[in-house]
């Protein structure tokens, strides 16, 4: 995939905007929808892993605080437990690669909207999950269908950065939880299955996420070529 001449500027701009939001009072409310988006991707990873290992998904629940759960029967629990954090990181890395060329922005946003709509329609387990799923779907479709290619490209870049940052922040929080408490988590589920400490599983996910993001940035950094809109 060739990188167009605007992709680097958009990625830097999206990164700068994400960092700037850390220092703006109440900016949490501006990025809150992206927090919920990443939760949908995380729980969607669990749901897809359940289905691919021939299990049944009972429901996917997203909470107002950004947490979530996926309730399932059967499947391969080991793979299902691993799928959440890896899915959010890999999805963010995949979006970074797609950001190399603005021609793919609208298609990527539309495909993401379709995935969230399917997850919502079949598995949403509470009213808040329905509201968020439909809201995210509408927002992504509006950007994909009505925004210019350049705006859609920048939005996809910002979405990729937010996805990667939230995935890393979630892993940092999980590392602290695994170290300081016995609170429920995917890592604790794996600890019960394998008798390998939760902090080890968290560390493995952190390393895997770092490798995935490094590989995505390597692909992204290839020589750019001009593309005209």
């Amino acid at each position: 995939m060739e990188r167009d001449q605007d992709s680097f500027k958009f990625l830097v701009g999206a990164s700068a905007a994400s960092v700037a939001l850390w220092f703006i009072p109440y900016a949490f409310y501006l990025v809150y929808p992206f927090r919920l988006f990443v939760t949908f991707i995380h729980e969607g990873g669990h749901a897809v892993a359940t289905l691919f290992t021939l299990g049944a998904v009972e429901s996917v629940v997203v909470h107002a605080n950004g947490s979530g759960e996926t309730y399932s029967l059967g499947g391969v629990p080991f793979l299902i437990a691993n799928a959440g954090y890896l899915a959010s990181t890999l999805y963010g890395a995949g979006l970074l690669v797609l950001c190399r060329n603005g021609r793919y922005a609208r298609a990527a946003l539309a495909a993401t909207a379709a995935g969230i709509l399917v997850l919502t329609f079949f598995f949403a387990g509470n009213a808040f999950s329905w509201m968020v799923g439909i809201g995210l779907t509408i927002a992504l479709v509006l950007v994909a269908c009505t925004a210019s290619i350049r705006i859609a490209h920048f939005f996809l870049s910002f979405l990729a950065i937010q996805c990667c940052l939230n995935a890393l922040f979630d892993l940092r929080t999980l590392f602290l939880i695994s170290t300081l408490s016995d609170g429920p988590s995917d890592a604790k589920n794996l600890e019960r299955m394998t008798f390998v400490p939760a902090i080890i599983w968290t560390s493995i996910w952190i390393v895997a996420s770092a490798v995935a993001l490094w590989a995505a940035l390597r692909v992204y950094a290839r020589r750019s070529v001009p593309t005209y809109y």
Side-chain angles (χ1 to χ4, degrees), residues 188-213:
K188 284 295 181 182
N189 290 338
L190 281 170
E191 180 179 271
R192 286 192 291 271
M193 293 178 208
T194 64
F195 303 103
V196 176
I199 194 172
I200 300 298
W201 290 112
T202 305
S203 300
I204 290 172
W205 292 335
I206 290 173
V207 171
S209 297
V211 170
L213 292 177

Side-chain angles (χ1 to χ4, degrees), residues 8 10 47 52 69 84 124 178 191 196 209 216 229:
F8 181 73
F10 287 160
F52 268 91
E69 298 102 25
S178 300
E191 180 179 271
V196 176
S209 297
Y229 291 104

